[in-house]
Amino acid sequence: MSAPPDEAFMDNPDPVIIPTWGYKADGEARIFQLGLGEDLPEGWSATPDVITDPAKATAEALTDRAAGRPYADSVVNAVDLIPAAASPDTAIDEIERLKGIIAAGSQENEALVEEIDKAEGLLGAAAAEIATLKTALAKAEADGADAAAARDEAHAAIERLEAELASAKKDLEAATAPKTAARAR
């Protein structure tokens, strides 16, 4: 049988943080990051029941207030938020302006997708070129090692030949050296 959820969290060495809404009587609402079993700060309630003005206790009112926006509690009040100079023609013009912005944004997005596709193709080509260069480098290193071994063998052969030449030169000098008088008799 598995442990109840609270006990499972207690066994975890990392603290568990739970985003929790808190409410005040004046309609203020915000999210607190609370640890497991931790209470809201004093003066805050876990339910909107503490809000005394019913108009401020709706989900819309709480959301708007938490986001820092003015809340219009009815359609009549919402109309008051629209500038007085707005007319149907102005609204249509605004809609057309926004359609233009959306169309331009869509074109820009398409261009960005094309750029991304092109960049991905270039990236693939660059990766293939890197692989080719790595192979060439490995071959060059192997060839370089072979060349170094051949060079070392050539140096050893030269040293042997120099030693043989020095020995032959010594033998030649001994054979061609003038005979001393004691030897001549």
Side-chain angles (χ1 to χ4, degrees), residues 65-90:
R65 190 164 169 113
R69 295 187 301 259
Y71 172 66
D73 62 352
S74 69
V75 174
V76 174
N77 289 341
V79 170
D80 292 340
L81 296 176
I82 299 172
S87 67
D89 290 335
T90 304

Side-chain angles (χ1 to χ4, degrees):
M1 176 175 202
S2 64
D6 288 345
E7 288 179 28
F9 285 121
M10 297 299 243
D11 291 341
N12 187 348
D14 297 327
V16 176
I17 302 298
I18 303 167
T20 306
W21 276 100
Y23 306 91
K24 281 191 167 183
D26 67 356
E28 185 177 355
R30 64 179 265 212
I31 296 176
F32 293 90
Q33 302 297 326
L34 302 178
L36 188 62
E38 190 177 352
D39 292 327
L40 289 166
E42 190 168 327
W44 290 88
S45 173
T47 67
D49 296 342
V50 298
I51 301 174
T52 54
D53 183 351
K56 293 181 179 178
T58 65
E60 293 85 4
L62 292 170
T63 302
D64 286 346
R65 190 164 169 113
R69 295 187 301 259
Y71 172 66
D73 62 352
S74 69
V75 174
V76 174
N77 289 341
V79 170
D80 292 340
L81 296 176
I82 299 172
S87 67
D89 290 335
T90 304
I92 290 171
D93 291 343
E94 181 64 9
I95 290 170
E96 291 304 318
R97 184 184 75 82
L98 292 173
K99 283 181 180 178
I101 291 171
I102 291 169
S106 294
Q107 288 174 346
E108 189 174 327
N109 286 346
E110 288 174 13
L112 289 172
V113 167
E114 287 177 16
E115 259 186 72
I116 289 169
D117 290 344
K118 182 179 177 182
E120 286 175 346
L122 292 173
L123 182 62
E129 183 65 21
I130 287 171
T132 301
L133 290 173
K134 282 183 177 180
T135 302
L137 177 61
K139 184 180 182 321
E141 287 174 342
D143 291 347
D146 291 344
R151 179 199 65 216
D152 293 343
E153 287 177 23
H155 279 292
I158 289 172
E159 288 175 4
R160 280 192 310 275
L161 288 173
E162 285 175 343
E164 287 177 20
L165 181 61
S167 176
K169 188 176 182 182
K170 186 176 173 185
D171 291 345
L172 181 62
E173 285 176 1
T176 59
K179 306 235 181 210
T180 61
R183 278 180 135 194
R185 285 196 232 177

